[in-house]
Amino acid sequence: GVNEKGLRWRAADFVAVIVILMAVAACYHNATKGAFVYDDNPFVRDNRFIRSLWPPHRFFTSRYAYSPRGHFNIYRPLTPLSYALELKLHPLEPTGFHLVNILLHATCSVMVFIVFRRLFGRTLPAALPALLFAVHPANTESVTWIAQRSGLLSLLFFLVGFWMHQVALGRLHHRTGPLVGAVVMYAFSLFSKEMGATLPLIVLAHDFLLVGRERRLSRRTTLAYYGAYVGVALIYLTARLLVVGGLAQQEWHGGTLQRNLLVVLSSLGFYVRLALVPVRQSVDYAGWMPRGITSPAVVTGLLSVAILGAMAVLLYRVERRISFGIVWFVLTLIPVLNIIPTVSYTHLTLPTN
């Protein structure tokens, strides 16, 4: 592991943060000129629910918080709440919303640097992935599309929660505060967007792959810690079921479970390709359906699983942190693989970091 001395920031670290922020500004400064588009209209512009903050609990108890008609099975209460808070600062115009999205992405990019800085204990291995995340084309939708604010919020809380877990493991005593903070951030991430659900899996993989026994949590603390994660997840699932009436946003893709599994396998290859070669992007990839197990998209997905798994195993003895990065990518894809069907195929903000 990295000793505490190696975690002290130097001038190079602050320079790296400035470069990351400049990269975000260079890529997205013109996004502030964008109008309301697509889902921005029902979710933000025409959503009278966000015109008032009172009473605040209604964002968590009404299916109409995200959409005026309530016909989307979407439960992300902190996202419309963020819109409502924002409207206290500026009028109902797209510029302010775009600016906040850019600031959220910039903050997430810096958090990626902070997490990797603690992971490697050096500036350059932390700055490169953070800079790549800051400018990666696959993140364009989450940053420039106001209605995709949910992904940015979820990622920010996710990264802060994981960083708090890192802080706790860096101590031998007084770990309770950071651990409680990590669970709270998990709740915020999950109630921003369902992609945050994988944080406990990432924490577990991190400890198993990278943390020595002397730094691991005691058995009693581990049970309480992961029990808290499970408790938060159960609260979220219960609230979602009570408010929107289900977990999925639509029926099985293709109408059957078997056809939906083909979509899951196809999605794997699609997301790997989008992460490595982010070209021919679209605002909506829905509508395609693999014909069978021998479909090129399904075969690509199976090969992607095999290659990523082999790389994680082979690199484990060479550089465990790279192996952990592969595991991070795969685990955080779980919510967007359409195992539980969603409407869109375009969510790569969390896996790409």
Side-chain angles (χ1 to χ4, degrees):
V2 179
N3 59 38
E4 291 298 320
K5 184 178 180 180
L7 297 175
R8 296 174 184 172
W9 276 40
R10 304 177 179 85
D13 297 309
F14 293 100
V15 172
V17 169
I18 293 173
V19 171
I20 292 167
L21 294 176
M22 291 176 63
V24 171
C27 289
Y28 293 108
H29 69 279
N30 61 341
T32 57
K33 302 176 183 178
F36 289 120
V37 296
Y38 300 106
D39 290 344
D40 295 344
N41 296 314
F43 294 167
V44 182
R45 189 195 66 183
D46 302 330
N47 190 354
R48 295 189 175 277
F49 206 95
I50 66 174
R51 307 293 176 86
S52 173
L53 278 170
W54 194 260
H57 67 79
R58 65 197 180 99
F59 289 94
F60 297 86
T61 58
S62 174
R63 67 180 296 126
Y64 300 100
Y66 211 89
S67 168
R69 297 181 180 179
H71 59 274
F72 295 97
N73 287 336
I74 299 176
Y75 186 68
R76 302 164 185 169
L78 288 184
T79 301
L81 180 58
S82 76
Y83 297 144
L85 287 168
E86 200 173 326
L87 285 177
K88 296 297 181 181
L89 303 177
H90 65 76
L92 186 59
E93 296 178 355
T95 301
F97 293 103
H98 283 304
L99 181 59
V100 170
N101 273 23
I102 295 170
L103 292 174
L104 285 171
H105 180 62
T107 306
C108 287
S109 300
V110 173
M111 279 306 307
V112 172
F113 174 77
I114 292 172
V115 165
F116 274 84
R117 178 67 175 78
R118 195 166 189 97
L119 195 63
F120 286 95
R122 292 182 292 141
T123 303
L124 188 60
L128 291 179
L131 188 60
L132 177 62
F133 173 80
V135 303
H136 199 290
N139 292 326
T140 303
E141 177 185 316
S142 292
V143 183
T144 61
W145 196 356
I146 297 170
Q148 287 299 325
R149 164 81 57 85
S150 56
L152 295 171
L153 285 175
S154 182
L155 174 61
L156 179 58
F157 294 132
F158 189 104
L159 291 171
V160 174
F162 182 74
W163 170 74
M164 286 184 168
H165 179 78
Q166 288 180 303
V167 170
L169 294 187
R171 300 176 177 179
L172 294 177
H173 307 285
H174 306 294
R175 290 175 158 183
T176 302
L179 293 178
V180 171
V183 174
V184 171
M185 289 299 106
Y186 174 57
F188 287 173
S189 179
L190 194 52
F191 279 84
S192 296
K193 192 171 186 177
E194 50 275 10
M195 290 181 66
T198 56
L199 178 57
L201 298 179
I202 297 300
V203 166
L204 188 63
H206 170 268
D207 292 1
F208 178 77
L209 294 173
L210 301 179
V211 180
R213 291 185 178 181
E214 71 282 357
R215 288 284 181 178
R216 291 183 182 178
L217 303 175
S218 67
R219 181 175 298 181
R220 181 178 179 181
T221 302
T222 298
L223 290 174
Y225 183 45
Y226 285 98
Y229 278 124
V230 172
V232 169
L234 290 175
I235 291 172
Y236 167 80
L237 291 173
T238 302
R240 183 185 179 99
L241 288 171
L242 290 174
V243 175
V244 301
L247 298 180
Q249 292 182 30
Q250 62 181 54
E251 301 298 325
W252 295 118
H253 291 293
T256 65
L257 175 60
Q258 291 79 3
R259 297 294 298 275
N260 193 82
L261 291 176
L262 294 178
V263 173
V264 171
L265 293 173
S266 301
S267 299
L268 274 168
F270 167 77
Y271 281 119
V272 171
R273 193 275 298 171
L274 189 60
L276 298 177
V277 189
V279 297
R280 294 182 296 172
Q281 295 190 80
S282 172
V283 70
D284 187 3
Y285 297 90
W288 56 271
M289 178 63 61
R291 296 181 179 180
I293 194 69
T294 58
S295 171
V298 175
V299 173
T300 301
L302 290 171
L303 287 175
S304 298
V305 173
I307 292 172
L308 289 172
M311 290 177 60
V313 172
L314 292 174
L315 290 171
Y316 179 73
R317 294 185 178 182
V318 179
E319 176 51 83
R320 294 186 179 186
R321 288 168 292 195
I322 297 179
S323 182
F324 170 64
I326 296 173
V327 173
W328 176 301
F329 179 81
V330 174
L331 289 179
T332 53
L333 279 179
I334 292 175
V336 295
L337 288 180
N338 289 284
I339 298 172
I340 298 176
T342 58
V343 175
S344 180
Y345 297 83
T346 54
H347 310 297
L348 199 60
T349 306
L350 182 52
T352 50
N353 89 78

